[in-house]
Amino acid sequence: MRPSGRKTDQMRKVSFERNFSKHAEGSCLVKFGDTHVLCTASLEDKTPPWLRNSGKGWVTAEYGMLPRATGDRMRREASAGKQSGRTQEIQRLIGRSLRAVVDLEALGERQISIDCDVIQADGGTRTAAITGAWIALHDCLKWMETRSMIKVEKVLKDHIAAVSCGIFATQPVIDLDYLEDSAAETDANFVMTGSGGIVEIQGTAEGKPFSQDEFLILLGLARNGIDELVAMQKQAIG
Amino acid sequence: MRPSGRKTDQMRKVSFERNFSKHAEGSCLVKFGDTHVLCTASLEDKTPPWLRNSGKGWVTAEYGMLPRATGDRMRREASAGKQSGRTQEIQRLIGRSLRAVVDLEALGERQISIDCDVIQADGGTRTAAITGAWIALHDCLKWMETRSMIKVEKVLKDHIAAVSCGIFATQPVIDLDYLEDSAAETDANFVMTGSGGIVEIQGTAEGKPFSQDEFLILLGLARNGIDELVAMQKQAIG
Amino acid sequence: MRPSGRKTDQMRKVSFERNFSKHAEGSCLVKFGDTHVLCTASLEDKTPPWLRNSGKGWVTAEYGMLPRATGDRMRREASAGKQSGRTQEIQRLIGRSLRAVVDLEALGERQISIDCDVIQADGGTRTAAITGAWIALHDCLKWMETRSMIKVEKVLKDHIAAVSCGIFATQPVIDLDYLEDSAAETDANFVMTGSGGIVEIQGTAEGKPFSQDEFLILLGLARNGIDELVAMQKQAIG
Amino acid sequence: MRPSGRKTDQMRKVSFERNFSKHAEGSCLVKFGDTHVLCTASLEDKTPPWLRNSGKGWVTAEYGMLPRATGDRMRREASAGKQSGRTQEIQRLIGRSLRAVVDLEALGERQISIDCDVIQADGGTRTAAITGAWIALHDCLKWMETRSMIKVEKVLKDHIAAVSCGIFATQPVIDLDYLEDSAAETDANFVMTGSGGIVEIQGTAEGKPFSQDEFLILLGLARNGIDELVAMQKQAIG
Amino acid sequence: MRPSGRKTDQMRKVSFERNFSKHAEGSCLVKFGDTHVLCTASLEDKTPPWLRNSGKGWVTAEYGMLPRATGDRMRREASAGKQSGRTQEIQRLIGRSLRAVVDLEALGERQISIDCDVIQADGGTRTAAITGAWIALHDCLKWMETRSMIKVEKVLKDHIAAVSCGIFATQPVIDLDYLEDSAAETDANFVMTGSGGIVEIQGTAEGKPFSQDEFLILLGLARNGIDELVAMQKQAIG
Amino acid sequence: MRPSGRKTDQMRKVSFERNFSKHAEGSCLVKFGDTHVLCTASLEDKTPPWLRNSGKGWVTAEYGMLPRATGDRMRREASAGKQSGRTQEIQRLIGRSLRAVVDLEALGERQISIDCDVIQADGGTRTAAITGAWIALHDCLKWMETRSMIKVEKVLKDHIAAVSCGIFATQPVIDLDYLEDSAAETDANFVMTGSGGIVEIQGTAEGKPFSQDEFLILLGLARNGIDELVAMQKQAIG
């Protein structure tokens, strides 16, 4: 029995609120239940130094949590003077995931910076962030298309969405909330494309090691969940 | 003529959304037009070192902006590794303003941390933050009262609200938005209590120096605006 | 009765020692009683990045205190690895105040850096710093005029001086020393030009809020004090 | 054809040099071909704050590369003033992997710090580090057993070893060297126990997404490789 | 011929201004010609962690330069966020030199922090700092003796003074000013006690290596100079 | 009697392992007994900003210790976020020593970065580092000569080697190991050229001051030791 009463293969209620931000070229407030992440996409003329004169652009991401997004207040990273290892790990993952479906040559020598800021956290912030960031990125590219800078279909090759799965109380379940996440024996994050290709797998045994069979069940759950998420993305931008 | 079409003594539409955050003891999303600030109040058992065994508590504040809260993306302070001078100046102001109406002995040896995070900026983020922070602080104290920790009326002695005034195109106006703020000759922030006492005045000549008469007109505008804000605070917590 | 025996409208003994530094283009050791601040003005060829090719120059300021300028030794900021919020607030104020009387176009694409280092502190370091910095800036501009780089009267439009006022033991007083400052109910800093224009006002209620009438009395005290300071500046450079 | 001439399922020559360090309680220089990592295990009496009085100990890891361990000299992290995101990601992985086979209660309130310093890099530094760190940890525990502090078999529940697999030139291969790693389409790191349980999986599509079938082939390669590594660990400590 | 017209064995005019600072327990403005260093000694109750309950005290030093103490303005270390290697080297030297003549047990579990801040630099700031710091330390100990905390003669075993010597234009000379220092072939700093014992020798070939004979000439020059400095210290405190 | 049983003028066993690193242009693992330092020389095209268009190159050095190179684990500097004063002092010394025998004009506008990383420490790490760094530098220059970039004999004017001497248990001894170093009354480091010129002398009284006669005995010991080291360098590169 899941704390939320959800079935093992049932995700939380997911929603996308596009154009949440007045200023950003693309933006989306994504909610996976009580996990709320604001994703903005900012078009910048500067390209990273190693890409100058290469004809290629770049997509990068930064991640942050408001100090009281969580049950206990966490120290503000700006005041601590550095980003934690966890923060850096997540923002590297988001950037890599998005670049997997972007044609950097078709983007041209520009950088799109995706900021994913967790307004409220209840588990699964990185998977919600990736899923919402895709919408913000899409809308930024649409903004560019309107100004004849690029063609969206040339730059954005596929959808990207992500979900966590884990073994909670011996049961494989999808889309863990905080209560499940902190008690799970195994925790895995999956990032896949709209056409079913795998982009990232990160599986960690929190308690005892897991078997290949268990892992394949989690992968199966994730595949169905990501299909749902991609369908919702399509509806959102439709 | 103001860019927004407002009258010189007309504030932007102001709203308070209480309990915006699931986790914080008190929280409020305050909007002054397109300026949106999330204020959370977190009760912490630890008290600053210099107050240990003094019987007194503390109220402190931190301020941040999401990188794309503004027209151009700003560098994330957590990634830059430090808070700007502007950020520190504002968070010191918010903390001082709130402490002006709190009886720290009645609070007891506890700390309340107020986080003011700008989700979207359009001028006047510090005055919106102070005004919303008062609601979050009030609600945190209510939460404590429900648990018989304190009496709200003993701890919170008055309302606090803030507004900016300035001279824009030779006209004294209230509650400057970004367009006005960046062109104003004089910019002043006023923090006052519900009973009309002045807690902070910060006036700056951006272009040419201002006169005492001009300053008194701004102060008069502010007084009316803060009366309105306090009335709205009363309604919000009513 | 003031601890120093001064009358309520009596400033401390003020002196300016020009050319205190062998190396700087302009320098001044300013004393407001036991508060001693060394102000140097350094002409630099580089201009801040955002002014390149604008034809305009810049005046900026940095502020510091020697670790034992105060009654208790404070941690050295260079060793702590960052400037405190208070330091940043003060140096931003000094820079803003000086720029209010400088014609940046007439200065041309150069930067003048004003360093204000507190050798000994006894209250009012920021107001002494502003008042002394004006002398250092003036002398740096004279140095430039001698080399036919600018005309002083074109660049420096007016005098700038500053003084603190406050309510100490229910009495409005001018130019608070440390004993008064740490016990004052209200503390306000005023920056004005030689012709009486107001450039900055910063008033803070340390204890209970203050009224408009009280504030106007402080402003009146400040006006007289600043008139005296400007007269002393004129004599010093005469 | 692999650049090194190895078969697709052939690992590089692996060796362990125990007691490499005179001072550490346990140490091992591990070589996977031209990738050389020095792993030391340091017993420390202090335990992390959050475990005080819990009766439990902790195993943590830090990772570093000598600046010229790589083809081009990299900036020294101590001189840059911070560890890169990559460094933090790797050291978190090493610590997590080792803790998966340690009974922290049986260890008691002590910390073992594992330092993995890359002397020379040629791809696969993190997997070599994990595999060698297990030896250093084992030897540190043996050192403790000799002093009657713990029983090794109570604390160390199993072996841990790691290997990378990837798709290089359309072929699934094991234990990628630098040339393969920088050209691989898919790169996955596997951490497993001696009894075959999976502790960590990290798979990343560098170019195009990968399929479930491809992933399972990589997992199969890894399983065989890790079996070999565990056999070599057994021989080394035998 | 020396730029200043001094003879090869002639030091610059040296002066000590005791009690320069109102707040510090001991202070001295030392001048070696145009090199001016303010030395303050601050008594602190806290002792470094590694000396707790040892019955021993500590003497430590910090060094800084005002940004425009030099011909070109240098970046403020507090704003750069760290102390340079040079600064750290010098402050370690000052602390070591003073501790060589202090009986740390007789001092008791207290720390004296010596701050040496260069107000104006013209070569030899570290040797002036050591020589002046001894006066500040002495006066701090006198302050303590007056309060019956220690006996000066038990704590302070001897004088300490320092001077630089070097080979300038093939001539061995004493007490190099900036012009000489920047052109010297060899530069050596000597720290000695009042009774002629050597505490520190730091000799560096700036251009071509130096011989033992040259070095002995420098040492002889230094010995005479330090005898003079010690005589002046005696007169100053006499 | 020395703890190691060595005679007072007997150095530890010294060895050089050239080409220790696969990637570096020059590299050497130097051992002075149980003190092991890996020195690598990296040729870099960039030259420091202050040498641009000067026709001159630069040789610089960085120094580090693996956290468990020592008896107790030390905090990793990369994780602490800064290099200690000791580290900076040593790396400045290494760089200065090497530059004393390099013709920077003959090197041309290039930089050679020498990294000295202490793998295991037992006293004398800085002198071992300098002695080994010379080999790495030499081999890097040979690498460049092979590519017709420079002539080694034009760039490298002489050998450089270093050794520590000290007074241990009242006896002057050479090449102190950790046990001796931590108990020595006087500790001095000498850097000399192959032709006997002195490049650096650093002598420090750890306990009581030392006399000129004692110092000359240490200098004599050092001279013999450095002659031996230079002979071994010649044999190593022979």
Side-chain angles (χ1 to χ4, degrees):
Chain A
M1 197 55 143
R2 305 180 71 171
S4 59
R6 281 187 282 151
K7 284 182 284 180
T8 57
D9 63 348
Q10 187 184 350
M11 295 205 307
R12 289 175 288 183
K13 179 164 163 37
V14 172
S15 68
F16 303 106
E17 185 174 347
R18 287 168 76 194
N19 301 319
F20 187 84
S21 157
K22 174 189 181 180
H23 300 296
E25 284 75 32
S27 65
C28 172
L29 177 70
V30 58
K31 298 185 180 177
F32 277 36
D34 281 335
T35 290
H36 303 175
V37 186
L38 173 54
C39 307
T40 59
S42 298
L43 176 63
E44 296 172 306
D45 261 342
K46 65 165 190 205
T47 201
W50 72 89
L51 286 178
R52 285 210 191 110
N53 304 316
S54 70
K56 292 166 88 169
W58 195 245
V59 175
T60 187
E62 288 193 353
Y63 171 92
M65 290 184 95
L66 298 194
R68 194 58 197 278
T70 46
D72 292 313
R73 184 177 184 272
M74 295 181 315
R75 187 160 181 207
R76 186 179 288 267
E77 290 188 329
S79 136
K82 63 175 183 175
Q83 294 179 302
S84 72
R86 178 185 172 276
T87 290
Q88 292 191 59
E89 210 169 299
I90 293 175
Q91 65 194 14
R92 284 156 55 90
L93 170 65
I94 299 170
R96 244 175 11 238
S97 298
L98 294 172
R99 286 192 299 274
V101 293
V102 171
D103 183 327
L104 296 171
E105 297 209 8
L107 176 58
E109 278 201 28
R110 300 165 181 118
Q111 176 166 294
I112 298 176
S113 289
I114 310 288
D115 287 287
C116 299
D117 284 276
V118 179
I119 305 295
Q120 187 172 280
D122 187 34
T125 63
R126 81 187 70 187
T127 50
I130 292 167
T131 308
W134 186 88
I135 299 276
L137 174 60
H138 170 272
D139 286 1
C140 176
L141 294 171
K142 270 285 177 200
W143 185 95
M144 294 168 72
E145 191 176 66
T146 310
R147 283 150 187 81
S148 305
M149 301 167 80
I150 52 134
K151 287 281 182 199
V152 173
E153 81 231 27
K154 289 273 170 71
V155 178
L156 194 61
K157 298 178 294 182
D158 203 340
H159 283 250
I160 277 287
V163 77
S164 74
C165 297
I167 299 176
F168 172 73
T170 77
Q171 288 282 344
V173 297
I174 193 168
D175 191 24
L176 288 74
D177 58 30
Y178 178 74
L179 279 180
E180 293 168 331
D181 193 34
S182 46
E185 293 144 37
T186 292
D187 179 20
N189 293 295
F190 298 89
V191 184
M192 299 190 198
T193 63
S195 48
I198 306 174
V199 165
E200 281 272 346
I201 290 179
Q202 294 186 336
T204 301
E206 302 286 344
K208 68 179 179 53
F210 54 90
S211 69
Q212 181 164 332
D213 287 350
E214 287 171 321
F215 185 72
L216 289 176
I217 294 171
L218 298 183
L219 181 52
L221 279 171
R223 188 170 295 285
N224 290 336
I226 285 172
D227 283 351
E228 285 182 50
L229 288 168
V230 169
M232 283 186 274
Q233 283 176 337
K234 284 181 178 159
Q235 192 174 13
I237 63 168
Chain B
M1 198 56 141
R2 306 179 69 172
S4 60
R6 281 189 282 150
K7 283 180 286 182
T8 57
D9 64 349
Q10 187 184 351
M11 296 207 304
R12 292 175 286 183
K13 180 166 163 35
V14 172
S15 67
F16 302 106
E17 184 173 348
R18 287 167 76 196
N19 301 318
F20 187 84
S21 159
K22 174 189 181 180
H23 299 299
E25 284 75 30
S27 65
C28 173
L29 178 69
V30 58
K31 298 186 179 175
F32 277 34
D34 280 336
T35 289
H36 303 174
V37 185
L38 174 53
C39 308
T40 59
S42 298
L43 176 63
E44 294 172 308
D45 261 341
K46 65 162 190 209
T47 202
W50 72 87
L51 286 178
R52 281 208 194 111
N53 304 316
S54 69
K56 291 164 88 170
W58 196 244
V59 174
T60 188
E62 288 193 353
Y63 170 93
M65 289 185 97
L66 298 194
R68 194 58 196 279
T70 44
D72 291 313
R73 185 177 184 273
M74 295 179 314
R75 187 160 181 208
R76 186 178 289 266
E77 291 189 329
S79 140
K82 63 174 181 175
Q83 295 179 302
S84 71
R86 178 185 172 276
T87 290
Q88 292 192 58
E89 208 169 299
I90 293 175
Q91 63 194 13
R92 283 157 54 90
L93 170 65
I94 300 171
R96 251 186 351 250
S97 298
L98 294 172
R99 285 193 299 274
V101 293
V102 170
D103 182 326
L104 296 171
E105 295 209 11
L107 176 58
E109 279 200 27
R110 301 167 181 114
Q111 175 166 295
I112 298 177
S113 290
I114 310 287
D115 287 288
C116 299
D117 285 274
V118 179
I119 305 297
Q120 190 172 277
D122 186 33
T125 63
R126 80 187 71 187
T127 50
I130 291 168
T131 308
W134 187 89
I135 300 275
L137 174 61
H138 170 273
D139 286 1
C140 176
L141 293 171
K142 272 284 177 201
W143 185 95
M144 292 168 74
E145 189 175 68
T146 309
R147 281 151 189 79
S148 306
M149 301 167 81
I150 51 131
K151 288 281 180 198
V152 173
E153 81 231 28
K154 290 272 171 69
V155 178
L156 196 61
K157 298 179 293 183
D158 204 340
H159 283 251
I160 277 287
V163 77
S164 73
C165 297
I167 299 175
F168 171 75
T170 78
Q171 286 283 343
V173 296
I174 193 168
D175 191 25
L176 289 73
D177 57 29
Y178 177 75
L179 279 179
E180 292 168 331
D181 193 34
S182 44
E185 294 143 38
T186 291
D187 180 19
N189 293 295
F190 298 89
V191 184
M192 299 190 200
T193 63
S195 46
I198 306 173
V199 165
E200 282 271 346
I201 291 180
Q202 295 186 336
T204 301
E206 301 287 344
K208 67 175 178 57
F210 52 92
S211 68
Q212 182 165 328
D213 287 350
E214 287 171 321
F215 185 71
L216 288 177
I217 294 171
L218 299 182
L219 181 53
L221 279 171
R223 190 171 293 285
N224 290 337
I226 286 174
D227 283 350
E228 283 182 52
L229 289 168
V230 169
M232 281 186 274
Q233 283 177 337
K234 284 182 178 158
Q235 191 173 16
I237 64 168
Chain C
M1 198 56 143
R2 303 179 71 172
S4 59
R6 281 188 282 149
K7 284 180 284 178
T8 56
D9 62 350
Q10 187 184 352
M11 294 206 306
R12 292 175 285 184
K13 182 169 163 32
V14 172
S15 67
F16 302 107
E17 186 174 348
R18 287 167 77 195
N19 301 319
F20 188 84
S21 158
K22 176 189 180 179
H23 301 297
E25 284 74 30
S27 63
C28 174
L29 178 69
V30 59
K31 297 187 181 176
F32 278 33
D34 281 335
T35 290
H36 304 175
V37 185
L38 174 53
C39 307
T40 58
S42 299
L43 175 63
E44 295 173 307
D45 260 343
K46 64 165 190 204
T47 202
W50 72 90
L51 286 179
R52 288 218 184 105
N53 305 317
S54 71
K56 291 165 88 169
W58 195 243
V59 174
T60 187
E62 287 194 354
Y63 171 93
M65 290 185 97
L66 298 194
R68 194 56 196 279
T70 45
D72 293 314
R73 183 178 184 272
M74 296 179 315
R75 188 164 181 204
R76 187 179 288 268
E77 290 189 330
S79 138
K82 63 174 183 175
Q83 295 179 301
S84 70
R86 177 185 170 276
T87 291
Q88 293 191 59
E89 208 168 300
I90 293 175
Q91 65 194 12
R92 284 156 55 88
L93 169 65
I94 300 170
R96 252 188 349 251
S97 298
L98 294 172
R99 286 192 299 273
V101 292
V102 171
D103 182 327
L104 297 171
E105 296 209 11
L107 177 57
E109 279 201 28
R110 302 167 179 112
Q111 175 165 295
I112 298 177
S113 289
I114 311 288
D115 287 287
C116 298
D117 285 275
V118 180
I119 306 296
Q120 189 174 280
D122 186 34
T125 63
R126 81 187 68 188
T127 50
I130 291 166
T131 308
W134 186 89
I135 300 277
L137 174 60
H138 170 272
D139 286 0
C140 177
L141 294 171
K142 271 284 176 201
W143 186 97
M144 293 168 73
E145 191 176 65
T146 309
R147 282 152 188 80
S148 306
M149 301 168 80
I150 52 136
K151 288 280 182 200
V152 173
E153 78 232 30
K154 289 274 170 66
V155 177
L156 195 60
K157 299 178 294 183
D158 203 340
H159 282 251
I160 277 286
V163 76
S164 73
C165 296
I167 298 176
F168 171 74
T170 77
Q171 287 282 343
V173 297
I174 192 168
D175 191 23
L176 289 73
D177 57 29
Y178 177 74
L179 279 180
E180 292 169 332
D181 193 33
S182 44
E185 292 144 39
T186 291
D187 181 19
N189 294 295
F190 298 88
V191 185
M192 300 190 199
T193 64
S195 47
I198 306 172
V199 165
E200 280 271 346
I201 289 179
Q202 294 187 338
T204 300
E206 300 288 344
K208 67 179 180 52
F210 53 91
S211 68
Q212 182 165 331
D213 287 350
E214 287 171 320
F215 185 71
L216 289 176
I217 294 171
L218 299 182
L219 181 52
L221 280 171
R223 189 170 295 283
N224 290 336
I226 286 173
D227 283 350
E228 284 181 52
L229 289 168
V230 168
M232 282 184 275
Q233 284 177 337
K234 284 180 177 160
Q235 191 173 15
I237 64 169
Chain D
M1 199 55 142
R2 304 180 69 173
S4 60
R6 282 187 280 148
K7 285 181 285 181
T8 57
D9 63 348
Q10 187 185 352
M11 295 205 308
R12 290 175 288 183
K13 180 166 164 35
V14 172
S15 68
F16 303 106
E17 185 173 347
R18 286 168 76 195
N19 302 319
F20 187 85
S21 158
K22 175 191 180 178
H23 300 297
E25 284 75 30
S27 65
C28 174
L29 178 69
V30 59
K31 297 186 180 177
F32 277 35
D34 281 335
T35 290
H36 303 173
V37 185
L38 174 53
C39 308
T40 59
S42 298
L43 176 62
E44 295 172 307
D45 261 342
K46 65 164 189 205
T47 201
W50 72 89
L51 285 178
R52 285 214 189 107
N53 304 316
S54 71
K56 293 165 87 169
W58 194 244
V59 175
T60 187
E62 289 193 353
Y63 170 93
M65 290 184 96
L66 298 194
R68 195 57 196 279
T70 45
D72 293 312
R73 185 177 183 272
M74 295 179 314
R75 184 157 185 208
R76 187 178 289 267
E77 290 189 330
S79 138
K82 62 176 184 174
Q83 296 180 300
S84 71
R86 177 185 173 276
T87 290
Q88 292 192 58
E89 206 168 303
I90 293 175
Q91 65 194 12
R92 283 157 55 91
L93 170 66
I94 299 170
R96 243 176 12 236
S97 297
L98 294 172
R99 286 192 299 274
V101 293
V102 171
D103 182 327
L104 296 171
E105 296 210 8
L107 176 57
E109 278 200 28
R110 301 166 181 116
Q111 175 165 296
I112 298 175
S113 289
I114 310 287
D115 287 288
C116 298
D117 285 275
V118 180
I119 306 297
Q120 189 172 278
D122 187 34
T125 64
R126 80 188 71 187
T127 51
I130 291 167
T131 308
W134 186 89
I135 300 275
L137 174 61
H138 170 271
D139 286 1
C140 176
L141 293 171
K142 270 284 178 201
W143 186 95
M144 292 168 73
E145 190 175 69
T146 309
R147 282 150 187 83
S148 306
M149 300 167 82
I150 52 132
K151 289 281 181 196
V152 173
E153 80 231 27
K154 290 273 172 66
V155 178
L156 196 60
K157 299 178 294 184
D158 203 340
H159 283 250
I160 277 286
V163 76
S164 73
C165 296
I167 299 175
F168 171 75
T170 78
Q171 286 284 343
V173 297
I174 193 169
D175 191 23
L176 288 73
D177 58 29
Y178 177 75
L179 278 180
E180 293 169 330
D181 194 33
S182 43
E185 294 144 37
T186 290
D187 180 18
N189 293 295
F190 299 89
V191 185
M192 299 190 198
T193 65
S195 47
I198 306 172
V199 165
E200 281 272 347
I201 291 179
Q202 295 186 336
T204 301
E206 301 287 344
K208 66 178 180 55
F210 53 91
S211 70
Q212 181 163 331
D213 287 351
E214 287 170 321
F215 186 72
L216 288 176
I217 294 170
L218 298 183
L219 180 53
L221 278 172
R223 188 170 295 284
N224 290 336
I226 286 173
D227 282 351
E228 283 181 52
L229 288 168
V230 168
M232 282 185 276
Q233 283 177 337
K234 283 181 178 159
Q235 193 174 15
I237 65 168
Chain E
M1 199 53 143
R2 305 179 71 172
S4 59
R6 281 186 283 150
K7 285 181 284 181
T8 58
D9 63 349
Q10 187 185 352
M11 296 204 306
R12 291 175 286 184
K13 180 164 162 41
V14 172
S15 67
F16 302 106
E17 185 174 349
R18 287 168 76 196
N19 301 318
F20 188 84
S21 158
K22 172 190 183 178
H23 300 298
E25 284 75 31
S27 64
C28 174
L29 178 69
V30 59
K31 297 186 180 177
F32 277 35
D34 281 335
T35 289
H36 303 174
V37 185
L38 173 53
C39 308
T40 59
S42 299
L43 175 64
E44 295 173 308
D45 261 341
K46 65 164 190 209
T47 203
W50 72 89
L51 286 178
R52 281 207 194 114
N53 303 318
S54 71
K56 292 165 87 170
W58 195 244
V59 174
T60 188
E62 288 193 353
Y63 170 93
M65 290 184 96
L66 298 195
R68 194 56 195 280
T70 45
D72 292 313
R73 183 177 185 272
M74 296 179 314
R75 186 161 181 206
R76 187 178 289 269
E77 291 189 329
S79 138
K82 64 175 182 174
Q83 296 178 300
S84 71
R86 178 186 171 276
T87 290
Q88 292 191 58
E89 210 168 300
I90 293 175
Q91 65 194 12
R92 283 156 56 90
L93 170 64
I94 300 170
R96 248 183 359 246
S97 298
L98 295 172
R99 286 193 299 274
V101 293
V102 171
D103 183 326
L104 296 172
E105 297 209 10
L107 175 58
E109 279 200 27
R110 301 165 180 115
Q111 175 165 295
I112 298 177
S113 288
I114 310 289
D115 287 287
C116 298
D117 285 275
V118 180
I119 306 295
Q120 189 172 278
D122 186 34
T125 63
R126 81 187 71 187
T127 51
I130 290 167
T131 308
W134 186 89
I135 300 275
L137 174 60
H138 170 272
D139 285 0
C140 176
L141 293 172
K142 271 284 177 200
W143 186 96
M144 293 168 74
E145 191 176 66
T146 309
R147 283 152 187 80
S148 305
M149 301 167 81
I150 52 134
K151 288 279 180 198
V152 172
E153 81 232 27
K154 291 272 170 69
V155 178
L156 195 61
K157 298 178 295 183
D158 204 341
H159 283 250
I160 277 286
V163 77
S164 72
C165 296
I167 299 175
F168 170 75
T170 78
Q171 287 283 343
V173 296
I174 193 169
D175 191 24
L176 289 72
D177 58 28
Y178 178 73
L179 279 180
E180 293 169 330
D181 193 34
S182 45
E185 292 143 39
T186 291
D187 180 20
N189 293 295
F190 298 89
V191 185
M192 299 191 199
T193 64
S195 47
I198 306 173
V199 166
E200 281 272 347
I201 290 180
Q202 294 186 337
T204 301
E206 302 288 344
K208 67 177 179 52
F210 53 92
S211 70
Q212 182 165 330
D213 287 349
E214 288 170 320
F215 185 72
L216 288 176
I217 294 171
L218 299 183
L219 180 52
L221 279 172
R223 189 172 295 285
N224 290 335
I226 286 174
D227 283 350
E228 283 182 51
L229 289 168
V230 169
M232 283 186 275
Q233 284 177 336
K234 283 182 178 159
Q235 192 174 14
I237 64 168
Chain F
M1 198 55 141
R2 304 180 70 172
S4 60
R6 281 187 281 150
K7 283 181 287 180
T8 57
D9 64 348
Q10 186 184 353
M11 294 206 308
R12 291 175 285 183
K13 181 168 164 35
V14 171
S15 67
F16 302 106
E17 184 174 349
R18 286 168 77 194
N19 302 319
F20 188 85
S21 158
K22 174 189 181 179
H23 300 297
E25 283 76 29
S27 64
C28 173
L29 178 69
V30 59
K31 298 186 180 177
F32 278 35
D34 281 337
T35 290
H36 303 174
V37 186
L38 174 52
C39 308
T40 59
S42 299
L43 175 63
E44 295 172 307
D45 261 342
K46 63 160 191 210
T47 202
W50 72 89
L51 287 177
R52 286 215 187 106
N53 303 318
S54 70
K56 292 165 88 169
W58 195 244
V59 174
T60 188
E62 288 193 354
Y63 171 92
M65 291 184 95
L66 298 194
R68 194 57 195 278
T70 46
D72 293 312
R73 184 179 185 272
M74 295 180 314
R75 187 161 181 208
R76 186 178 289 267
E77 290 188 330
S79 138
K82 63 174 182 175
Q83 294 179 301
S84 71
R86 178 186 171 275
T87 291
Q88 292 191 60
E89 208 168 301
I90 294 175
Q91 65 195 13
R92 283 156 56 90
L93 170 64
I94 300 170
R96 247 182 0 244
S97 298
L98 295 171
R99 286 193 299 273
V101 293
V102 170
D103 183 327
L104 296 172
E105 297 209 9
L107 177 58
E109 277 199 29
R110 302 167 180 114
Q111 175 165 294
I112 298 177
S113 290
I114 310 288
D115 288 287
C116 298
D117 284 275
V118 179
I119 306 295
Q120 189 172 278
D122 186 34
T125 62
R126 80 187 70 186
T127 50
I130 291 167
T131 308
W134 186 88
I135 300 276
L137 174 61
H138 170 272
D139 286 1
C140 176
L141 294 171
K142 271 284 176 201
W143 185 95
M144 292 168 73
E145 190 176 67
T146 310
R147 283 152 187 80
S148 306
M149 302 168 80
I150 52 135
K151 288 281 181 198
V152 173
E153 80 231 27
K154 291 271 171 70
V155 178
L156 195 62
K157 299 178 294 183
D158 203 341
H159 282 251
I160 277 287
V163 76
S164 73
C165 296
I167 299 177
F168 172 74
T170 77
Q171 286 283 343
V173 296
I174 193 169
D175 191 22
L176 289 73
D177 59 28
Y178 177 75
L179 279 179
E180 293 169 332
D181 192 34
S182 44
E185 293 144 37
T186 292
D187 180 18
N189 293 295
F190 299 88
V191 184
M192 299 189 199
T193 64
S195 47
I198 307 173
V199 165
E200 282 271 346
I201 290 180
Q202 295 186 337
T204 300
E206 301 286 346
K208 66 178 180 54
F210 54 90
S211 68
Q212 181 164 332
D213 287 350
E214 287 171 320
F215 185 72
L216 289 176
I217 294 172
L218 298 183
L219 180 54
L221 279 172
R223 188 170 296 283
N224 290 336
I226 286 173
D227 283 351
E228 284 183 51
L229 289 169
V230 169
M232 282 185 276
Q233 284 177 337
K234 284 181 177 160
Q235 192 173 16
I237 64 168

